[in-house]
Amino acid sequence: MPKPKPQPAIRIQGLHKDYKQHQVLKNITLDLPPQRLSVLIGRSGAGKSTLLRCLNGLETPDQGRLSVAGIDLNFPDDARDEAKDQAVRLRTGMVFQQFHLFPHLTLLENLELAPRVAHGRLDAHTLRRECEDLLDKVDLAFHRDHYPSQMSGGQQQRAAIARALATHPQVLLFDEPTSSLDPQLSEEVLKVMLTLKREGMTQVMVTHELGFARKYADWVVFLEDGVVVEQGPSLQVFGKPKDPRTRDYVKGAA
Ligand SMILES: Nc1ncnc2c1ncn2[C@@H]1O[C@H](COP(=O)(O)OP(=O)(O)O)[C@@H](O)[C@H]1O
Ligand SMILES: [Mg+2]
């Protein structure tokens, strides 16, 4: 008997989002695979961040269906469903370009905050051990009691990934995680993402790092002007793009 196909980690059907008169996402339909690294690529203004933010409730779509980490949302009906919104937030983690660590908390405190406050974790000892392990995993154990301002951008971004992991998300979302880092520090961050990929974490990344995407992404989505122009395995989108717009965008990706 053929194996049943794994359910997509994320299913997007007919998604629309407008800002006033401006249609930013136009009828987006996509499946992103579980336990894989997917990337959203395209020029500035294509709608990548808006799409990513729709996946964890930071933006509310106007129309369409979303299934994220086992939660189904139907817009506009579910637009004000606080319980579903909260559930999606609890099951997804987000990493931003500008790290967004809390400056007045140490690294360890940054990691412990969301599990305690949003997830109601009361097992302080176990939580501390988990957070220490996570800092170890991103090679920051030494900095556990340091404040974000005492660290490099690459270290802060790795801490931001550890913080996102501390809530045990089913899906990790990254919006240009390396855009404000120089190449060497970017590499440290991308290495962490590759470790998570090997461990089977579902990751979705908006990126301009086409070389990295070409080499390591399992699934690539090319957006232009609020529309999915092309999607597929990296080998196809980078190696044999079907659409001339994709071809033009990916040419030069080493
Ligand atoms: N909060 C907002 N209000 C109005 N327009 C916005 C807002 N956020 C994004 N936009 C517009 O939506 C379009 C897509 O933006 P964005 O999703 O940030 O694109 P990308 O991440 O691909 O650069 C752009 O034209 C941008 O100016
Ligand atoms: Mg963006």
Side-chain angles (χ1 to χ4, degrees), residues 19 22 24 43-51 59:
Y19 290 118
H22 184 181
V24 176
R43 294 183 180 81
S44 287
K48 306 178 298 295
S49 295
T50 305
L51 180 58
E59 296 289 352

Side-chain angles (χ1 to χ4, degrees), residues 192-207:
V192 172
M193 295 186 68
L194 289 181
T195 303
L196 296 173
K197 172 179 151 93
R198 274 196 303 276
E199 292 173 358
M201 184 76 208
T202 304
Q203 300 178 91
V204 183
M205 168 166 69
V206 170
T207 190

Side-chain angles (χ1 to χ4, degrees), residues 14-243:
L15 205 76
H16 290 264
K17 171 79 187 167
D18 299 348
Y19 290 118
K20 301 231 169 75
Q21 314 294 10
H22 184 181
Q23 286 188 291
V24 176
L25 299 177
K26 305 170 193 166
N27 200 22
I28 304 277
T29 294
L30 281 180
D31 279 350
L32 301 178
Q35 303 194 304
R36 295 284 185 273
L37 172 61
S38 300
V39 297
L40 309 179
I41 59 171
R43 294 183 180 81
S44 287
K48 306 178 298 295
S49 295
T50 305
L51 180 58
L52 197 75
R53 292 161 66 85
C54 283
L55 296 180
N56 77 337
L58 283 176
E59 296 289 352
T60 308
D62 296 311
Q63 206 186 309
R65 288 169 178 274
L66 264 185
S67 174
V68 181
I71 297 160
D72 297 318
L73 298 150
N74 197 346
F75 295 97
D77 296 355
D78 289 337
R80 285 194 191 81
D81 191 325
E82 284 289 329
K84 278 194 180 180
D85 217 37
Q86 168 86 338
V88 168
R89 249 171 243 173
L90 292 178
R91 291 187 199 181
T92 52
M94 186 90 168
V95 175
F96 301 92
Q97 184 180 338
Q98 293 300 339
F99 331 133
H100 292 305
L101 294 167
F102 298 107
H104 58 295
L105 300 180
T106 66
L107 275 201
L108 202 51
E109 289 165 350
N110 262 282
L111 265 64
E112 288 175 341
L113 189 68
R116 283 202 283 109
V117 176
H119 293 249
R121 291 275 303 265
L122 296 171
D123 50 338
H125 287 296
T126 319
L127 177 60
R128 170 135 307 185
R129 213 167 326 116
E130 280 177 28
C131 292
E132 285 170 343
D133 287 348
L134 282 171
L135 284 179
D136 203 20
K137 184 185 181 96
V138 298
D139 212 10
L140 291 173
F142 173 75
H143 296 281
R144 51 170 269 165
D145 298 319
H146 293 167
Y147 289 89
S149 61
Q150 296 172 288
M151 303 190 303
S152 75
Q155 289 170 331
Q156 289 188 56
Q157 192 60 301
R158 274 146 50 207
I161 297 174
R163 180 179 62 172
L165 289 169
T167 56
H168 298 286
Q170 294 183 18
V171 175
L172 260 190
L173 308 169
F174 299 81
D175 196 352
E176 299 200 37
T178 60
S179 289
S180 56
L181 303 175
D182 65 31
Q184 195 198 336
L185 300 182
S186 294
E187 206 156 301
E188 294 173 1
V189 170
L190 296 172
K191 250 172 68 186
V192 172
M193 295 186 68
L194 289 181
T195 303
L196 296 173
K197 172 179 151 93
R198 274 196 303 276
E199 292 173 358
M201 184 76 208
T202 304
Q203 300 178 91
V204 183
M205 168 166 69
V206 170
T207 190
H208 290 290
E209 301 250 13
L210 296 189
F212 177 83
R214 178 180 189 136
K215 206 160 165 195
Y216 298 111
D218 299 295
W219 194 257
V220 179
V221 180
F222 173 60
L223 288 153
E224 192 167 273
D225 200 18
V227 172
V228 175
V229 173
E230 187 160 351
Q231 59 172 315
S234 171
L235 263 178
Q236 180 202 308
V237 176
F238 284 101
K240 284 196 179 120
K242 290 183 190 139
D243 193 288

